[in-house]
Amino acid sequence: MTKPAFNLTWHALSAHREALGEQHLNEIFAADPARAARMQLEACGVFLDYSKNRVTDETLTLLFGLAREAGLAEHTTAMFEGARINTTEARSVLHTALRRPAGASLGVEGHDVMADVVAVRERIRRFSEQVRVGSWLGYTGRPITDVVNIGIGGSDLGPLMVCEALQAFAHPGLRMHFVSNVDGVQIDDVLKKVNPQTTLFIVASKTFTTQETLTNAHTARSWLIGHAGSDAAVARHFVAVSTNAEAVSAFGIDTDNMFGFWDWVGGRYSLWSAIGLPIVLQIGADAFDRLLAGAHAMDEHFRTAPLEQNLPVIMALLGIWNIDFLDAPTQVIAPYHQRLHRLPAYLQQLDMESNGKSVKLDGSPVRCHTSPVIWGEPGINGQHAYFQMLHQGTRFAPIDFIGVLDHPAHLDHHHRVAFANMVAQAEALMRGKSAPEVEAEMRAAGLAEERIRALIPHRVFPGNRPSNMLLLERLDPFGLGALIALYEHRTFVQGVVWGVNSFDQWGVELGKQLAARVLEDLGATSDSNPHDASTAALIERYRQHARAGDPAR
Ligand code: G6Q
């Protein structure tokens, strides 16, 4: 793939990559064991060891130069100050304002956005306290026991991931449920489990026009009214989180029960806004403030630390090195704490929706690879599944290992086993196992010579597979806030270097448009089916099935 011709440092990096050749991490470590101590960093309770990347000091110097050449400092200032850096939507990008402490002001185009942020925060605090202490009552006068968040994409993934991660801080009397899929099965399952008298629905939608969310919300509303016998119950059981007061009203939710946010909060950056309401309900407003504080601490670190000691910058540049110079097509996220099991899905949206672009801000082609495929699962499960490919596959995939040091005393043994596995996997991926090692091992085990010859190629591990090791001191609101903000800024830095707009998402529009057409055609009684032959046949198959009736019903 052609590299950006204008960028001298890019060319220098290409030449440097050629010079490094296939130098193995084992050799690099043997020549310079001190790199382990040099290539580690800690900020805001997050520790990073990046020494197992296929980089030398020279690589890093060049990469820092790349960030400088891309104008990272100027772009960062522009984002934090509220310039309209989301140019295709003419919007500011101010999720960092959402985690500023109360008392700070931030004037953007003559308006103090912090006054708005703090006002909504206060309303959420009052409302969530009422629910949490049991004084917000349902239509029969009973307190709330279940909260159902209905939203999708950015209005689902963040709150869901954080609620899962912070289970240890959860209110014991409130059960959280998340409904995003419009297939009907998910809402059906939840409605079977909850009691209409004690269930609070949050309809979370920035635009309040999202088909999936509104379909689920209408179903939930009808279910509630069906049980309560009157739509007066909606006021006690439905709240909305949105920027669209008119649509919230039209749906039948009083805007007194609506928590607002602003067009400068992108969906995938919105868990810090009112979209975080399920989190506040689950862990309380004080703990939510600590989540914001962790993210704010990372914002400050990112804004002020020199590039060479800047966690998000280093992770971003290592990612660019892996993607564009070592040709890694994917990036694995492997958390070793079960409560972080939704983190890979959350980061998949953050990264792939932000940087999955092929044109630059000015509309010209990017000419290098941008967002990798982000994927993953809890690492310990992955070891018994996808790690085979990581160790011996033909494509290499850099890995972020994410561990947590603190753990309950009674889980000490379990924690030690999990931690040992995480560290060993990073070591194995880097170290590999050579043919002579494999041979000696099999000979010691007494295998026949012929068998040894046949098995060697299968049992060799090439190693030299890079990884980052991220360690959280503990999985608490502050640490999690810092970790999420770290990845947000990593994504931002990569977007700046690639020159793309990380804050729009035009790529999701075409499917939505066509879905509206197909939906109409599925129900059409005429023979009209104006699609390509494949799509038309699928639509016809659906229609035939509908006409015949489902025999299973
Ligand atoms: C996120 C995206 C997208 C969005 C959903 C839901 O950055 O824009 O995932 O969050 O499409 O949109 P609404 O909140 O408007 O329903």
Side-chain angles (χ1 to χ4, degrees), residues 294-376:
H296 179 66
M298 187 57 76
D299 292 342
E300 289 304 285
H301 165 76
F302 170 57
R303 217 171 49 76
T304 58
L307 301 190
E308 293 76 6
Q309 285 145 43
N310 196 309
L311 270 179
V313 171
I314 289 175
M315 284 188 61
L317 295 174
L318 291 169
I320 289 175
W321 172 251
N322 286 329
I323 296 159
D324 286 312
F325 297 92
L326 301 184
D327 292 326
T330 76
Q331 162 76 56
V332 182
I333 306 291
Y336 273 71
H337 193 300
Q338 185 55 28
R339 292 215 166 109
L340 289 174
H341 72 116
R342 292 296 295 169
L343 186 67
Y346 172 79
L347 294 181
Q348 190 175 66
Q349 181 192 30
L350 174 64
D351 198 306
M352 294 172 74
E353 202 173 26
S354 296
N355 288 340
K357 315 278 164 72
S358 31
V359 294
K360 302 210 275 187
L361 282 160
D362 64 4
S364 63
V366 179
R367 295 190 189 287
C368 66
H369 284 300
T370 56
S371 169
V373 175
I374 302 280
W375 57 290

Side-chain angles (χ1 to χ4, degrees), residues 173-467:
L174 275 182
R175 284 177 297 269
M176 311 301 295
H177 311 267
F178 289 83
V179 174
S180 56
N181 199 322
V182 75
D183 67 355
V185 172
Q186 203 180 15
I187 185 97
D188 223 30
D189 285 351
V190 170
L191 294 182
K192 277 182 202 143
K193 274 191 266 182
V194 298
N195 179 344
Q197 298 175 42
T198 59
T199 299
L200 176 74
F201 293 94
I202 301 170
V203 186
S205 176
K206 181 175 170 180
T207 55
F208 228 79
T209 57
T210 303
Q211 185 188 43
E212 296 89 334
T213 299
L214 290 183
T215 304
N216 282 325
H218 277 291
T219 299
R221 189 173 183 275
S222 305
W223 175 84
L224 176 78
I225 295 171
H227 283 280
S230 150
D231 61 6
V234 171
R236 305 305 304 166
H237 293 271
F238 271 77
V239 296
V241 178
S242 187
T243 58
N244 186 349
E246 213 178 304
V248 167
S249 233
F251 176 86
I253 297 178
D254 193 324
T255 45
D256 283 351
N257 290 344
M258 166 179 158
F259 301 95
F261 59 114
W262 308 273
D263 71 357
W264 43 261
V265 184
R268 54 196 172 277
Y269 299 89
S270 64
L271 73 87
W272 322 99
S273 71
I275 288 289
L277 179 59
I279 308 171
V280 187
L281 287 166
Q282 180 181 273
I283 65 174
D286 288 343
F288 187 73
D289 282 350
R290 293 200 295 280
L291 183 83
L292 299 181
H296 179 66
M298 187 57 76
D299 292 342
E300 289 304 285
H301 165 76
F302 170 57
R303 217 171 49 76
T304 58
L307 301 190
E308 293 76 6
Q309 285 145 43
N310 196 309
L311 270 179
V313 171
I314 289 175
M315 284 188 61
L317 295 174
L318 291 169
I320 289 175
W321 172 251
N322 286 329
I323 296 159
D324 286 312
F325 297 92
L326 301 184
D327 292 326
T330 76
Q331 162 76 56
V332 182
I333 306 291
Y336 273 71
H337 193 300
Q338 185 55 28
R339 292 215 166 109
L340 289 174
H341 72 116
R342 292 296 295 169
L343 186 67
Y346 172 79
L347 294 181
Q348 190 175 66
Q349 181 192 30
L350 174 64
D351 198 306
M352 294 172 74
E353 202 173 26
S354 296
N355 288 340
K357 315 278 164 72
S358 31
V359 294
K360 302 210 275 187
L361 282 160
D362 64 4
S364 63
V366 179
R367 295 190 189 287
C368 66
H369 284 300
T370 56
S371 169
V373 175
I374 302 280
W375 57 290
E377 269 288 312
I380 208 84
N381 299 336
Q383 287 175 210
H384 297 266
Y386 64 81
F387 269 54
Q388 164 62 39
M389 174 269 190
L390 301 183
H391 284 287
Q392 291 186 312
T394 54
R395 315 297 303 262
F396 94 92
I399 303 159
D400 285 355
F401 289 97
I402 303 172
V404 179
L405 288 167
D406 206 32
H407 57 277
H410 72 285
L411 298 180
D412 195 45
H413 177 62
H414 287 266
H415 181 263
R416 193 177 298 232
V417 173
F419 198 85
N421 271 279
M422 176 176 71
V423 171
Q425 286 295 331
E427 187 182 28
L429 284 158
M430 178 181 90
R431 212 172 155 266
K433 198 192 254 185
S434 66
E437 283 176 301
V438 171
E439 189 178 339
E441 208 175 81
M442 287 192 284
R443 190 150 288 131
L447 265 71
E449 204 55 36
E450 202 182 325
R451 191 85 185 119
I452 291 175
R453 291 288 144 232
L455 283 181
I456 284 176
H458 300 278
R459 295 183 63 166
V460 162
F461 290 67
N464 209 20
R465 313 237 156 163
S467 65

Side-chain angles (χ1 to χ4, degrees), residues 38-41 48 50 53 60 63-64 306-320 468 486 490 493-494:
R38 225 170 39 245
M39 296 185 185
Q40 54 172 248
L41 195 59
L48 168 69
Y50 59 99
N53 280 278
L60 291 169
L63 286 168
F64 293 129
L307 301 190
E308 293 76 6
Q309 285 145 43
N310 196 309
L311 270 179
V313 171
I314 289 175
M315 284 188 61
L317 295 174
L318 291 169
I320 289 175
N468 286 319
L486 162 62
R490 182 192 79 145
V493 174
Q494 293 185 337

Side-chain angles (χ1 to χ4, degrees), residues 25-139:
L25 270 166
N26 287 342
E27 297 163 48
I28 299 179
F29 259 94
D32 176 20
R35 64 184 270 124
R38 225 170 39 245
M39 296 185 185
Q40 54 172 248
L41 195 59
E42 187 161 8
C44 320
V46 185
F47 169 86
L48 168 69
D49 173 356
Y50 59 99
S51 63
K52 291 193 184 77
N53 280 278
R54 282 164 55 186
V55 292
T56 63
D57 290 344
E58 191 188 345
T59 325
L60 291 169
T61 305
L62 286 167
L63 286 168
F64 293 129
L66 191 67
R68 288 196 179 91
E69 236 175 72
L72 178 60
E74 295 75 14
H75 281 87
T76 303
T77 304
M79 176 173 72
F80 276 85
E81 288 184 349
R84 294 183 183 245
I85 61 169
N86 176 358
T87 50
T88 62
E89 296 180 307
R91 290 175 182 167
S92 307
V93 174
L94 274 172
H95 48 281
T96 52
L98 297 166
R99 46 241 196 171
R100 282 187 165 214
S105 66
L106 178 66
V108 176
E109 298 173 358
H111 181 75
D112 181 13
V113 297
M114 285 310 296
D116 299 341
V117 169
V118 171
V120 175
R121 251 189 233 164
E122 280 310 311
R123 284 189 60 223
I124 288 182
R125 173 178 283 272
R126 283 198 297 275
F127 171 71
S128 62
E129 279 315 307
Q130 284 180 285
V131 174
R132 286 169 59 83
V133 301
S135 64
W136 179 277
L137 303 176
Y139 67 91

